[in-house]
Amino acid sequence: MSFKPANSIQDLQYFGEFGGVNPSISDSSTYTFLSAKTMFDTFEGNADGCYLYSRHSSPSNLYLGAALAAMEHTETANVTASGMGAITSVMLQLCNAGDHIISSRTIYGGTYAFFKNFIPKFNIETSFVDITKLDVVEAAITKNTKVIYCESVSNPLLEVADIKNLAKIAKKHGLKLVVDNTFSPLSISPAILGADVVIHSLTKFINGSSDTVGGVVCGSQEFINALRNVNDGACMLLGATMDSLRASSILKNLRTLHIRMQQHSKNGMFLAEKFEAEGLKTVYPGLKSHPSHQLFKNMMNTEYGFGGMLTIDVGSLNKANALMELMQHKNLGYLAVSLGFYKTLFSAPGTSTSSEIPEEEQKQMGLSDGLIRFSIGLDADIERTYGVMRKCMLEIGVLKA
Ligand SMILES: *Cc1c(COP(=O)(O)O)cnc(C)c1O
């Protein structure tokens, strides 16, 4: 099946109250009912189309959720106040005290910290494994395991998860496969490959303008209903709700995601090839040298490319810091965490976004001191960008003349 996620987004039509080409923003926290009976039914979850209170759902949030569900080819979706709001709600919904999670060991630092430091207080244990080794994943399953958790393309090492085969393992053992697809929107469609739940931090590529945090959970109607249940739903009760104004602005940005991803990928591929040719240790899923290049190719929706994330290893933290400062000085991008902005962003994950991971474990997973993570921007003239970057690298001694 050849799935066209951008078509699915484009084909949705919503109009505003007065025929506006964008849906009206529902600027209300609460909603009136004509009859008390309907209010009661809504609380019981039996009044389709009625709104109750905006922590539960709001028209603006449902519009954005519908578009993201269309993109991920799931029945429905629920938007949240942040990516972490989505991840923590999903895991607390799926796991009870005594349950066990198998997680990739290379994941977003906040998710790692949640599994390692926070969720054990509810007696939920996590085994961190090399997700690229399917036999290791299967061997880690215990009678208490509930969830296999991974990122399609991992942060920051850009390991690629074999979603199809992980889904097979999950099905065989009655587990849920939860995939964070933040690094590869449009490029990879985890639900098509068998994932049960797909999560995004909307903060990154999907919104793309570094002006808000947001998240989404895409899944079955049954699961999303459970998350929103007024009596025991994690999204409803933990309260990580997106604001309607934000939902409407993210929806407008989502409409250009396909163009932006193509440009991020084009620029990412260009720089990765140049860096590698210069002899820099470069990791980018689009390079043949990437251990999971073929796997990514087999999974991808080809027209969106291999994404905008790449890493280089410049040998030491001092060199990494000097290079990043110089590149910022030359206006090549910003020394900042996060990703998916129009401008290139760079950071040293070991001392920033992955600093939650203890040094010893960073070493084991191959997260070295000199690693720089790039989120490649939408630069119109990437050759010029490369020329200036190369000069910076020569000046810092990362490249030899
Ligand atoms: C940023 C990020 C998150 C967390 O999202 P927030 O919106 O910052 O809460 C989760 N997963 C990945 C892969 C991320 O990059």
Side-chain angles (χ1 to χ4, degrees), residues 82-85 87 108 111 151 155 180 182-183 201-204 213-215 339 373:
S82 68
M84 285 310 296
I87 292 163
Y108 178 68
T111 312
E151 297 173 0
N155 180 41
D180 177 340
T182 301
F183 274 32
S201 166
L202 303 177
T203 314
K204 315 297 171 51
V213 288
L339 40 132
R373 183 186 82 176

Side-chain angles (χ1 to χ4, degrees), residues 174-288:
L175 315 177
K176 295 284 181 222
L177 176 63
V178 177
V179 178
D180 177 340
N181 198 29
T182 301
F183 274 32
S184 45
L186 298 177
S187 295
I188 296 179
S189 301
I192 299 240
L193 300 164
D196 297 289
V197 178
V198 183
I199 293 174
H200 283 277
S201 166
L202 303 177
T203 314
K204 315 297 171 51
F205 289 105
I206 290 180
N207 184 57
S209 50
S210 293
D211 57 356
T212 188
V213 288
V216 69
V217 181
C218 304
S220 68
Q221 189 70 54
E222 186 188 358
F223 182 60
I224 300 299
N225 286 352
L227 279 173
R228 281 204 285 246
N229 189 292
V230 294
N231 292 307
D232 59 6
C235 282
M236 181 65 185
L237 298 178
L238 298 173
T241 309
M242 179 174 280
D243 182 72
S244 290
L245 271 74
R246 273 310 180 192
S248 69
S249 73
I250 296 172
L251 177 62
K252 284 174 273 186
N253 286 359
L254 177 66
R255 291 178 173 150
T256 56
L257 179 66
H258 58 296
I259 304 169
R260 290 186 280 113
M261 286 316 295
Q262 284 168 350
Q263 187 73 4
H264 285 300
S265 289
K266 181 172 156 246
N267 287 349
M269 191 74 198
F270 181 90
L271 289 179
E273 280 178 340
K274 293 286 187 195
F275 290 159
E276 186 168 64
E278 297 270 11
L280 283 170
K281 216 171 128 191
T282 310
V283 175
Y284 182 69
L287 294 174
K288 287 204 179 70

